[in-house]
Amino acid sequence: MQASSRRKFLSKTSAVVAGVLAARPAKPQTAAGLPPAPTQHLGLDGDWLFQTDPGDGGQQQKWFRGDAFPSGARTVKVPHTWQIEAPLAGYRGIAWYRRRFELPHAWRQSMVRIEFEAVFHTARVWINGEPAGEHSRKGYTAFTLDITSLLQWDRPNTITVRVDNSFDEHMLPRGRSSDWAHDGGIYRPVQLLSTPPAFLYQADVDALPDTAARTARLEIAAYARNTGSQPWNGKVSFSVIDLETGLSVLSQRDAATLTIAPNSTAAAKLTAELSNPKLWHFDHPHLYRLELSIADGTTPPHLFDTTFGVRRFEVKGTAFYLNGERVRLMGVERMAGSNPEFGMAEPAEWLEHDHADLKNLNCIFTRVHWQQDRRVLDYCDRHGILMQTEVPAWGPDTFKGMGEQPDADILQNGIEQLREMIARDRNHPSIVSWGLCNEINGQNPPAYHFAESMLKEAKRLDPSRLCSYASHSLQKTPGKDVSGLMDFVECNEYFGSWSPGGPDAVTRNIEDIHAAFPGKPVVISEYGYCACTADRPEGDERRREILRTHDAVLRDKEYIAGLIFFCYNDYRTHVGDRGTGVLQQRVHGVVDLYGDRKESYDLLRRESSPIESLTVDGHPTAFKLTLRTRYTVPAYTLSGYTLRGVYYGYGEIPVEKKAVDLPELSPGKEITVDMAFADALAWRVRFDVLRPTGFSAYSLEWKA
């Protein structure tokens, strides 16, 4: 895509019931034999009225009531952030949103909730002038509010939202400590959800394979709520659908009984065995859909679905293993919200653009500094990117002025954000690690105890998933760092940029880290070059040099399990030293704010490829191509890959295409492939090694 085009489009449980499922190919039915109804959705994206409130007088003036909203309010499109507008680029404070909506008549006997996928960072919500609820100091996690009792069925309804994005010392990120764009607004999608009065609202799925037995054990926790005044007693049924074929591969009617007290929640815990599962892998991202239903035979039954994958990602010694295979991973981090046309209110098209670009960069392993848009995680599930998503505890200033222990409000905010993140996102197979914090100075006592508490809670909520934190405090006395408690060690290293020294300093430091934690894998969670001070001009040559030389050093260490380059894009941030207003940024990426590529882009693509080399001998009617896979990072078995050649004749016209399926190739292997075209007079031939997902892992051009 050209630059001009880019710019243009630019107490969960009150009762627990255990049931053991036996698989049988029957279609699931409810207790009454009635088909369950899924949650109904009504999108609230689009036109909203918007008004800033720098004096914070809107609440006193009751802007949430009737016609009290300011007459000068203007219309904006939600998802929205005001930070991309030049007059408001630096505004941190209060703003208000309002819109009207009408309800389908069929919803009249339903329970209705409103879901905000994210509001930064505090939202107070009113329906028809009455308070519906608040979500405070958690700017990247989703929340829902029950608004049933506040609705009007004979006339339009009004929703009003007061948003605050002021820098706040009692939340994460704390105050001004972080280094990214604090974009205020309703910046992710909003929708209404309609369900029966007794409904399922969450399902946790653990799907771990037994590769020797060719089975997978499913452990399911189905969470339901009864909004009625009488106890609800019913049955739980389920079905598992293979998304590739659309076929049911496992189902059970009346798998468990469930009792929910009035105005309470309850959970059913289920187990099942899936035969011959298709395993999820970044090159083979097979997905399943779990459909759960509850029914009591009298009230409307409810259907809830969630997508999951069958995979096991684990640590053995100093290495990562995916489904029993050792994998050494590589990728790059993307900083969301950086395109000045969108800010954090990124449309689906831009999310697809950027993440397809990550795949083109051979990114199969990444991390992010805060909880991500649901659409991002869905993309990673469908296309194969392993991810560590994080609680936004960023920087040593998070614990500035604290004693031996972290302040109670900061710890509580971190725990709440962790719980909300795991509750919504734990079924995504792309998420292989929960990130607990970043660069907090893990040898500082309050920071150490914060990370320790976060780790304990994460393991309680999701015992099977790995946890870590990205440390920048491992250059001295690394053994004292809280990294030692984590499942693997993450090191942010910036020798030659933020820290003095070159490849020799990298070698010494990484060896010291390994000596401190000899039994753990080490991931370089950030490395690269930031042109972030006056003495470090942007020119990209230094970025390329650091990428080449640091990769050479780090690949030599057997205990290096992964490398994550920082970063994909130059990024908008309130601490940026380049640009002004909406363009205030840090220059750190292989593409600029608009996605235009620098020279370092192509180098990162080659460095991140599992193909070490591809050479061509002969001529178009008798080519011999020799391919060699990498033995070290990134290194993993290539299965289902294809070598494709496209023949371009006179006038640069593609006139012939050939493709050869490659055999399974383990790290460090070499293979020679024959390929012949009908015409010997090629202008050029482009060769690509294609992943099973269709993305190119390596490209080479032969010219006459």
PDB file of all heavy atoms in Angstrom, residues 334-357:
ATOM      1  N   ARG A 334       4.491  -3.713  18.253  1.00  0.00           N
ATOM      2  CA  ARG A 334       3.759  -2.594  17.652  1.00  0.00           C
ATOM      3  C   ARG A 334       3.188  -1.718  18.751  1.00  0.00           C
ATOM      4  O   ARG A 334       2.601  -2.213  19.710  1.00  0.00           O
ATOM      5  CB  ARG A 334       2.629  -3.120  16.768  1.00  0.00           C
ATOM      6  CG  ARG A 334       1.650  -2.054  16.288  1.00  0.00           C
ATOM      7  CD  ARG A 334       0.493  -2.701  15.553  1.00  0.00           C
ATOM      8  NE  ARG A 334      -0.453  -1.719  15.041  1.00  0.00           N
ATOM      9  CZ  ARG A 334      -1.573  -1.347  15.672  1.00  0.00           C
ATOM     10  NH1 ARG A 334      -1.896  -1.895  16.850  1.00  0.00           N
ATOM     11  NH2 ARG A 334      -2.380  -0.455  15.145  1.00  0.00           N
ATOM     12  N   MET A 335       3.333  -0.408  18.599  1.00  0.00           N
ATOM     13  CA  MET A 335       2.743   0.548  19.531  1.00  0.00           C
ATOM     14  C   MET A 335       1.447   1.078  18.924  1.00  0.00           C
ATOM     15  O   MET A 335       1.457   1.842  17.947  1.00  0.00           O
ATOM     16  CB  MET A 335       3.716   1.681  19.820  1.00  0.00           C
ATOM     17  CG  MET A 335       4.978   1.221  20.548  1.00  0.00           C
ATOM     18  SD  MET A 335       4.658   0.679  22.249  1.00  0.00           S
ATOM     19  CE  MET A 335       4.583   2.268  23.091  1.00  0.00           C
ATOM     20  N   ALA A 336       0.321   0.644  19.481  1.00  0.00           N
ATOM     21  CA  ALA A 336      -0.986   1.019  18.954  1.00  0.00           C
ATOM     22  C   ALA A 336      -1.228   2.519  19.103  1.00  0.00           C
ATOM     23  O   ALA A 336      -0.574   3.209  19.888  1.00  0.00           O
ATOM     24  CB  ALA A 336      -2.080   0.234  19.674  1.00  0.00           C
ATOM     25  N   GLY A 337      -2.174   3.021  18.332  1.00  0.00           N
ATOM     26  CA  GLY A 337      -2.598   4.408  18.464  1.00  0.00           C
ATOM     27  C   GLY A 337      -1.661   5.430  17.878  1.00  0.00           C
ATOM     28  O   GLY A 337      -1.769   6.618  18.195  1.00  0.00           O
ATOM     29  N   SER A 338      -0.758   5.007  17.005  1.00  0.00           N
ATOM     30  CA  SER A 338       0.292   5.919  16.558  1.00  0.00           C
ATOM     31  C   SER A 338      -0.004   6.632  15.253  1.00  0.00           C
ATOM     32  O   SER A 338       0.626   7.641  14.956  1.00  0.00           O
ATOM     33  CB  SER A 338       1.619   5.159  16.453  1.00  0.00           C
ATOM     34  OG  SER A 338       2.062   4.809  17.746  1.00  0.00           O
ATOM     35  N   ASN A 339      -0.930   6.130  14.452  1.00  0.00           N
ATOM     36  CA  ASN A 339      -1.284   6.840  13.232  1.00  0.00           C
ATOM     37  C   ASN A 339      -2.033   8.116  13.600  1.00  0.00           C
ATOM     38  O   ASN A 339      -3.084   8.053  14.246  1.00  0.00           O
ATOM     39  CB  ASN A 339      -2.156   5.951  12.345  1.00  0.00           C
ATOM     40  CG  ASN A 339      -2.400   6.539  10.975  1.00  0.00           C
ATOM     41  OD1 ASN A 339      -2.714   7.720  10.846  1.00  0.00           O
ATOM     42  ND2 ASN A 339      -2.274   5.723   9.944  1.00  0.00           N
ATOM     43  N   PRO A 340      -1.537   9.279  13.217  1.00  0.00           N
ATOM     44  CA  PRO A 340      -2.174  10.540  13.632  1.00  0.00           C
ATOM     45  C   PRO A 340      -3.583  10.729  13.102  1.00  0.00           C
ATOM     46  O   PRO A 340      -4.320  11.581  13.605  1.00  0.00           O
ATOM     47  CB  PRO A 340      -1.229  11.609  13.057  1.00  0.00           C
ATOM     48  CG  PRO A 340       0.057  10.907  12.809  1.00  0.00           C
ATOM     49  CD  PRO A 340      -0.295   9.502  12.455  1.00  0.00           C
ATOM     50  N   GLU A 341      -3.976   9.949  12.086  1.00  0.00           N
ATOM     51  CA  GLU A 341      -5.335  10.057  11.563  1.00  0.00           C
ATOM     52  C   GLU A 341      -6.358   9.408  12.487  1.00  0.00           C
ATOM     53  O   GLU A 341      -7.540   9.754  12.459  1.00  0.00           O
ATOM     54  CB  GLU A 341      -5.421   9.398  10.181  1.00  0.00           C
ATOM     55  CG  GLU A 341      -4.474   9.969   9.152  1.00  0.00           C
ATOM     56  CD  GLU A 341      -4.751  11.440   8.868  1.00  0.00           C
ATOM     57  OE1 GLU A 341      -5.937  11.804   8.791  1.00  0.00           O
ATOM     58  OE2 GLU A 341      -3.784  12.220   8.745  1.00  0.00           O
ATOM     59  N   PHE A 342      -5.901   8.441  13.308  1.00  0.00           N
ATOM     60  CA  PHE A 342      -6.828   7.645  14.120  1.00  0.00           C
ATOM     61  C   PHE A 342      -6.547   7.732  15.610  1.00  0.00           C
ATOM     62  O   PHE A 342      -7.467   7.639  16.419  1.00  0.00           O
ATOM     63  CB  PHE A 342      -6.764   6.171  13.711  1.00  0.00           C
ATOM     64  CG  PHE A 342      -6.803   5.926  12.238  1.00  0.00           C
ATOM     65  CD1 PHE A 342      -5.847   5.138  11.626  1.00  0.00           C
ATOM     66  CD2 PHE A 342      -7.800   6.484  11.456  1.00  0.00           C
ATOM     67  CE1 PHE A 342      -5.876   4.911  10.263  1.00  0.00           C
ATOM     68  CE2 PHE A 342      -7.842   6.262  10.096  1.00  0.00           C
ATOM     69  CZ  PHE A 342      -6.874   5.470   9.490  1.00  0.00           C
ATOM     70  N   GLY A 343      -5.286   7.861  16.019  1.00  0.00           N
ATOM     71  CA  GLY A 343      -4.930   7.711  17.418  1.00  0.00           C
ATOM     72  C   GLY A 343      -5.339   6.337  17.915  1.00  0.00           C
ATOM     73  O   GLY A 343      -5.320   5.351  17.179  1.00  0.00           O
ATOM     74  N   MET A 344      -5.746   6.263  19.162  1.00  0.00           N
ATOM     75  CA  MET A 344      -6.149   4.977  19.730  1.00  0.00           C
ATOM     76  C   MET A 344      -7.475   4.464  19.164  1.00  0.00           C
ATOM     77  O   MET A 344      -7.787   3.288  19.316  1.00  0.00           O
ATOM     78  CB  MET A 344      -6.258   5.079  21.257  1.00  0.00           C
ATOM     79  CG  MET A 344      -4.924   5.125  21.966  1.00  0.00           C
ATOM     80  SD  MET A 344      -4.043   3.555  21.896  1.00  0.00           S
ATOM     81  CE  MET A 344      -2.631   3.938  22.930  1.00  0.00           C
ATOM     82  N   ALA A 345      -8.242   5.302  18.501  1.00  0.00           N
ATOM     83  CA  ALA A 345      -9.516   4.875  17.920  1.00  0.00           C
ATOM     84  C   ALA A 345      -9.261   4.272  16.534  1.00  0.00           C
ATOM     85  O   ALA A 345      -9.727   4.780  15.512  1.00  0.00           O
ATOM     86  CB  ALA A 345     -10.483   6.048  17.846  1.00  0.00           C
ATOM     87  N   GLU A 346      -8.538   3.182  16.502  1.00  0.00           N
ATOM     88  CA  GLU A 346      -8.099   2.591  15.245  1.00  0.00           C
ATOM     89  C   GLU A 346      -9.226   1.795  14.581  1.00  0.00           C
ATOM     90  O   GLU A 346      -9.824   0.918  15.209  1.00  0.00           O
ATOM     91  CB  GLU A 346      -6.899   1.669  15.477  1.00  0.00           C
ATOM     92  CG  GLU A 346      -5.680   2.395  15.999  1.00  0.00           C
ATOM     93  CD  GLU A 346      -4.538   1.472  16.350  1.00  0.00           C
ATOM     94  OE1 GLU A 346      -4.755   0.526  17.133  1.00  0.00           O
ATOM     95  OE2 GLU A 346      -3.425   1.685  15.842  1.00  0.00           O
ATOM     96  N   PRO A 347      -9.515   2.046  13.323  1.00  0.00           N
ATOM     97  CA  PRO A 347     -10.539   1.260  12.626  1.00  0.00           C
ATOM     98  C   PRO A 347     -10.021  -0.129  12.291  1.00  0.00           C
ATOM     99  O   PRO A 347      -8.807  -0.378  12.271  1.00  0.00           O
ATOM    100  CB  PRO A 347     -10.796   2.072  11.356  1.00  0.00           C
ATOM    101  CG  PRO A 347      -9.509   2.795  11.106  1.00  0.00           C
ATOM    102  CD  PRO A 347      -8.946   3.099  12.468  1.00  0.00           C
ATOM    103  N   ALA A 348     -10.960  -1.027  11.992  1.00  0.00           N
ATOM    104  CA  ALA A 348     -10.587  -2.411  11.689  1.00  0.00           C
ATOM    105  C   ALA A 348      -9.620  -2.486  10.522  1.00  0.00           C
ATOM    106  O   ALA A 348      -8.692  -3.311  10.527  1.00  0.00           O
ATOM    107  CB  ALA A 348     -11.851  -3.223  11.388  1.00  0.00           C
ATOM    108  N   GLU A 349      -9.795  -1.616   9.516  1.00  0.00           N
ATOM    109  CA  GLU A 349      -8.913  -1.659   8.347  1.00  0.00           C
ATOM    110  C   GLU A 349      -7.463  -1.390   8.714  1.00  0.00           C
ATOM    111  O   GLU A 349      -6.542  -2.016   8.166  1.00  0.00           O
ATOM    112  CB  GLU A 349      -9.371  -0.640   7.301  1.00  0.00           C
ATOM    113  CG  GLU A 349     -10.733  -0.933   6.698  1.00  0.00           C
ATOM    114  CD  GLU A 349     -11.870  -0.378   7.530  1.00  0.00           C
ATOM    115  OE1 GLU A 349     -11.613   0.169   8.633  1.00  0.00           O
ATOM    116  OE2 GLU A 349     -13.030  -0.506   7.081  1.00  0.00           O
ATOM    117  N   TRP A 350      -7.247  -0.456   9.643  1.00  0.00           N
ATOM    118  CA  TRP A 350      -5.870  -0.131  10.016  1.00  0.00           C
ATOM    119  C   TRP A 350      -5.264  -1.227  10.892  1.00  0.00           C
ATOM    120  O   TRP A 350      -4.082  -1.541  10.776  1.00  0.00           O
ATOM    121  CB  TRP A 350      -5.786   1.220  10.713  1.00  0.00           C
ATOM    122  CG  TRP A 350      -4.365   1.666  10.899  1.00  0.00           C
ATOM    123  CD1 TRP A 350      -3.681   1.773  12.066  1.00  0.00           C
ATOM    124  CD2 TRP A 350      -3.442   2.041   9.869  1.00  0.00           C
ATOM    125  NE1 TRP A 350      -2.394   2.184  11.848  1.00  0.00           N
ATOM    126  CE2 TRP A 350      -2.217   2.362  10.496  1.00  0.00           C
ATOM    127  CE3 TRP A 350      -3.529   2.130   8.481  1.00  0.00           C
ATOM    128  CZ2 TRP A 350      -1.085   2.773   9.774  1.00  0.00           C
ATOM    129  CZ3 TRP A 350      -2.409   2.536   7.761  1.00  0.00           C
ATOM    130  CH2 TRP A 350      -1.213   2.852   8.410  1.00  0.00           C
ATOM    131  N   LEU A 351      -6.071  -1.797  11.758  1.00  0.00           N
ATOM    132  CA  LEU A 351      -5.590  -2.916  12.554  1.00  0.00           C
ATOM    133  C   LEU A 351      -5.166  -4.069  11.654  1.00  0.00           C
ATOM    134  O   LEU A 351      -4.112  -4.700  11.861  1.00  0.00           O
ATOM    135  CB  LEU A 351      -6.664  -3.375  13.538  1.00  0.00           C
ATOM    136  CG  LEU A 351      -7.043  -2.386  14.643  1.00  0.00           C
ATOM    137  CD1 LEU A 351      -8.221  -2.930  15.452  1.00  0.00           C
ATOM    138  CD2 LEU A 351      -5.867  -2.100  15.553  1.00  0.00           C
ATOM    139  N   GLU A 352      -5.980  -4.366  10.642  1.00  0.00           N
ATOM    140  CA  GLU A 352      -5.632  -5.425   9.690  1.00  0.00           C
ATOM    141  C   GLU A 352      -4.356  -5.063   8.939  1.00  0.00           C
ATOM    142  O   GLU A 352      -3.468  -5.896   8.743  1.00  0.00           O
ATOM    143  CB  GLU A 352      -6.787  -5.636   8.699  1.00  0.00           C
ATOM    144  CG  GLU A 352      -8.011  -6.287   9.306  1.00  0.00           C
ATOM    145  CD  GLU A 352      -7.988  -7.802   9.197  1.00  0.00           C
ATOM    146  OE1 GLU A 352      -7.210  -8.335   8.391  1.00  0.00           O
ATOM    147  OE2 GLU A 352      -8.763  -8.445   9.927  1.00  0.00           O
ATOM    148  N   HIS A 353      -4.245  -3.820   8.507  1.00  0.00           N
ATOM    149  CA  HIS A 353      -3.058  -3.379   7.770  1.00  0.00           C
ATOM    150  C   HIS A 353      -1.783  -3.591   8.571  1.00  0.00           C
ATOM    151  O   HIS A 353      -0.810  -4.195   8.100  1.00  0.00           O
ATOM    152  CB  HIS A 353      -3.189  -1.900   7.399  1.00  0.00           C
ATOM    153  CG  HIS A 353      -1.901  -1.273   6.959  1.00  0.00           C
ATOM    154  ND1 HIS A 353      -1.016  -0.692   7.852  1.00  0.00           N
ATOM    155  CD2 HIS A 353      -1.329  -1.157   5.742  1.00  0.00           C
ATOM    156  CE1 HIS A 353       0.039  -0.247   7.197  1.00  0.00           C
ATOM    157  NE2 HIS A 353      -0.126  -0.510   5.911  1.00  0.00           N
ATOM    158  N   ASP A 354      -1.779  -3.087   9.790  1.00  0.00           N
ATOM    159  CA  ASP A 354      -0.561  -3.156  10.597  1.00  0.00           C
ATOM    160  C   ASP A 354      -0.190  -4.592  10.942  1.00  0.00           C
ATOM    161  O   ASP A 354       0.993  -4.968  10.894  1.00  0.00           O
ATOM    162  CB  ASP A 354      -0.725  -2.345  11.884  1.00  0.00           C
ATOM    163  CG  ASP A 354      -0.351  -0.882  11.692  1.00  0.00           C
ATOM    164  OD1 ASP A 354      -0.179  -0.462  10.532  1.00  0.00           O
ATOM    165  OD2 ASP A 354      -0.239  -0.157  12.702  1.00  0.00           O
ATOM    166  N   HIS A 355      -1.169  -5.413  11.278  1.00  0.00           N
ATOM    167  CA  HIS A 355      -0.838  -6.774  11.697  1.00  0.00           C
ATOM    168  C   HIS A 355      -0.495  -7.669  10.512  1.00  0.00           C
ATOM    169  O   HIS A 355       0.318  -8.590  10.644  1.00  0.00           O
ATOM    170  CB  HIS A 355      -1.951  -7.338  12.581  1.00  0.00           C
ATOM    171  CG  HIS A 355      -1.948  -6.708  13.943  1.00  0.00           C
ATOM    172  ND1 HIS A 355      -2.582  -5.511  14.199  1.00  0.00           N
ATOM    173  CD2 HIS A 355      -1.330  -7.069  15.099  1.00  0.00           C
ATOM    174  CE1 HIS A 355      -2.370  -5.169  15.455  1.00  0.00           C
ATOM    175  NE2 HIS A 355      -1.617  -6.087  16.027  1.00  0.00           N
ATOM    176  N   ALA A 356      -1.050  -7.385   9.341  1.00  0.00           N
ATOM    177  CA  ALA A 356      -0.573  -8.061   8.137  1.00  0.00           C
ATOM    178  C   ALA A 356       0.871  -7.663   7.861  1.00  0.00           C
ATOM    179  O   ALA A 356       1.685  -8.489   7.406  1.00  0.00           O
ATOM    180  CB  ALA A 356      -1.466  -7.717   6.947  1.00  0.00           C
ATOM    181  N   ASP A 357       1.208  -6.416   8.142  1.00  0.00           N
ATOM    182  CA  ASP A 357       2.590  -5.957   7.977  1.00  0.00           C
ATOM    183  C   ASP A 357       3.515  -6.667   8.964  1.00  0.00           C
ATOM    184  O   ASP A 357       4.663  -7.004   8.622  1.00  0.00           O
ATOM    185  CB  ASP A 357       2.662  -4.445   8.168  1.00  0.00           C
ATOM    186  CG  ASP A 357       3.649  -3.785   7.217  1.00  0.00           C
ATOM    187  OD1 ASP A 357       3.958  -4.379   6.167  1.00  0.00           O
ATOM    188  OD2 ASP A 357       4.111  -2.669   7.521  1.00  0.00           O
TER     189      ASP A 357
END
